[in-house]
């Protein structure tokens, strides 16, 4: 039976530590850290994600500034707002909720975020710094995955890690973080041949595919550490991961559930990045 590691519990502990730190700064007369969030359009999922981020900011004492724009907003107007927030000394982090409505250019919008405030780690300057090993911002989900591995008491060094998925936001950066932690890393994708046998070599298996319950026990080496990043909606409306939990849990050393696994850690790392941006500027 695997140790089931809940991101919901770990994030609550980390948020408590952040809250204490922030209250300490405020007690010393400093302002609170501030995250600005831009949401364009009325996609219900995006609204719910943004609400979650706002609540999480409140819980730790980070000021959140919400900017709701209509789906019809023009690229110029969006970028003017990003420019203003980039220049505002009272703002430490800027998050543009993706995807943007049709007709808006995401890459161009991200380029307007000051790299010092790019708490999602999506600006090419931060992507470059990350791959060069320089200090910048690293995307939140991969950071959360590394914290979960720590909580699993998984010593990454020397382990064989397999990441299924190579997206810019998850698969590619988590593979890099694992490599930085001295794992030997294989990245798999939709054209990988004999995926199950590659995955079975993994001491650490990260599933970031977006295919419900795709990873069964045939993909998992007994005793592996399994991180399930997938968030998929089942027909009954409930969420499930990329891993068939009940199949894999009996043979893994440790596993994250969905929900309450990686998801809460992503939001927690967004707060941590915002606090980091604030500390770099204020301390
Ligand atoms: P994505 O951009 O769609 O990337 C999916 C990756 O999976 C691609 O690299 C794709 O390969 C690969 N893939 C697809 N089918 C495959 C198959 N049959 N065999 C092997 N690889 C396959 O998705 P993403 O943004 O990385 O997200 C992945 C999942 O994580 C989604 O369920 C998403 O909702 C979830 N997610 C969760 C969080 C969180 O906080 N919990 C955060 C972000 C994402 P190709 O490159 O060859 O197409």
């Amino acid at each position: 039976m695997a140790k089931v590691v809940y991101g919901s519990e770990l994030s609550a502990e980390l948020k408590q530590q952040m809250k204490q730190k922030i209250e300490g700064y405020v007690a010393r007369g400093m302002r609170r850290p501030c995250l600005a969030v831009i949401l364009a359009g009325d996609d219900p999922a995006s609204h719910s994600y943004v609400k979650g981020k706002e609540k999480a900011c409140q819980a730790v004492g980070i000021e959140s500034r919400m900017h709701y724009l209509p789906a019809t907003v023009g690229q110029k107007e969006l970028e003017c707002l990003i420019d203003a927030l980039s220049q505002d000394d009272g703002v430490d982090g800027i998050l543009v909720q993706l995807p943007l409505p049709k007709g808006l250019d995401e890459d161009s919008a991200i380029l307007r975020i000051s790299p010092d405030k790019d708490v999602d780690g999506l600006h090419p300057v931060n992507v470059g710094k990350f791959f060069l090993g320089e200090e910048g911002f690293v995307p939140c989900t991969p950071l959360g995955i590394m914290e979960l591995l720590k909580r699993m008491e998984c010593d990454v060094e020397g382990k064989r890690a397999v990441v299924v998925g190579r997206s810019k936001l998850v698969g590619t950066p988590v593979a890099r973080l694992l490599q930085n932690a001295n794992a030997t890393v294989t990245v798999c994708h939709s054209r990988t041949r004999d995926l199950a046998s590659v995955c079975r070599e993994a001491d650490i298996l990260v599933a970031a595919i977006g295919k419900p319950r795709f990873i069964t026990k045939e993909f998992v080496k007994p005793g592996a550490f399994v991180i399930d990043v997938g968030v998929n909606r089942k027909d009954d409306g409930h969420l499930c991961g990329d891993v068939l939990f009940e199949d894999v849990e009996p043979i893994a050393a440790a596993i994250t559930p969905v929900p309450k696994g990686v998801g809460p850690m992503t939001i927690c790392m967004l707060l941590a990045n915002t606090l980091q941006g604030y500390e770099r500027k204020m301390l």
Side-chain angles (χ1 to χ4, degrees):
M1 294 279 271
K3 177 174 172 185
V4 182
V5 173
Y6 289 91
S8 48
E9 289 174 6
L10 176 55
S11 67
E13 284 174 33
L14 296 175
K15 282 197 269 188
Q16 188 55 33
Q17 289 166 17
M18 281 189 253
K19 185 178 164 67
Q20 276 170 7
K21 225 175 179 192
I22 291 166
E23 294 314 322
Y25 295 141
V26 172
R28 279 158 54 187
M30 292 162 68
R31 66 165 175 83
R32 292 185 178 278
C34 173
L35 174 67
V37 178
I38 300 173
L39 173 54
D42 35 39
D43 174 58
S46 293
H47 272 267
S48 141
Y49 291 143
V50 160
K51 268 269 158 284
K53 289 166 187 174
E54 188 180 12
K55 254 176 76 181
C57 282
Q58 274 167 10
V60 299
I62 290 179
E63 182 197 341
S64 55
R65 290 199 204 160
M66 314 306 289
H67 296 271
Y68 294 102
L69 304 175
T72 51
V73 67
Q75 187 78 24
K76 206 167 165 201
E77 198 184 331
L78 170 68
E79 292 183 2
C80 278
L81 174 59
I82 299 173
D83 287 346
L85 294 169
S86 288
Q87 283 153 24
D88 185 335
D89 281 340
V91 171
D92 306 296
I94 302 170
L95 183 148
V96 178
Q97 184 65 42
L98 301 178
L100 286 172
K102 276 207 179 74
L104 292 173
D105 181 339
E106 288 183 358
D107 291 341
S108 164
I110 285 164
L111 270 178
R112 303 299 278 255
I113 300 174
S114 163
D116 302 338
K117 301 186 181 185
D118 167 40
V119 282
D120 259 343
L122 295 176
H123 191 288
V125 166
N126 282 314
V127 177
K129 283 185 171 180
F130 175 39
F131 278 84
L132 291 168
E134 292 174 17
E135 190 179 80
F137 285 112
V138 177
C140 303
T141 303
L143 283 177
I145 291 169
M146 298 308 286
E147 290 294 329
L148 285 162
L149 285 169
K150 267 193 233 163
R151 178 51 62 103
M152 288 176 168
E153 295 179 28
C154 170
D155 182 9
V156 174
E157 180 157 324
K159 288 211 166 40
R160 181 78 199 268
V162 173
V163 178
V164 191
R166 57 176 167 181
S167 69
K168 280 192 286 191
L169 212 60
V170 188
T172 298
V174 81
R176 185 69 183 192
L177 286 176
L178 286 162
Q179 188 184 310
N180 289 353
N182 297 320
T184 303
V185 184
T186 302
V187 179
C188 299
H189 44 77
S190 63
R191 322 284 161 81
T192 299
R193 292 201 188 128
D194 200 2
L195 181 66
S197 76
V198 179
C199 290
R200 268 198 310 274
E201 289 175 22
D203 304 309
I204 297 168
L205 180 62
V206 179
I209 315 164
K211 297 230 178 293
R213 300 158 159 258
F214 184 87
I215 301 289
T216 58
K217 65 174 186 295
E218 285 70 34
F219 291 69
V220 180
K221 175 160 103 176
F225 296 87
V226 180
I227 303 278
D228 188 355
V229 187
V231 178
N232 309 290
R233 203 162 282 283
K234 290 192 283 186
D235 293 341
D236 64 6
H238 289 100
L239 296 181
C240 73
D242 288 345
V243 176
L244 183 55
F245 184 88
E246 55 273 32
D247 206 34
V248 171
E249 187 268 340
I251 62 163
I255 187 167
T256 57
V258 177
K260 297 192 177 171
V262 173
M265 290 305 295
T266 297
I267 295 190
C268 183
M269 293 299 110
L270 172 69
L271 304 175
N273 276 352
T274 304
L275 182 55
Q276 196 179 73
Y278 168 88
E279 287 174 337
R280 279 185 200 143
K281 194 162 30 170
M282 304 287 286
L283 299 183

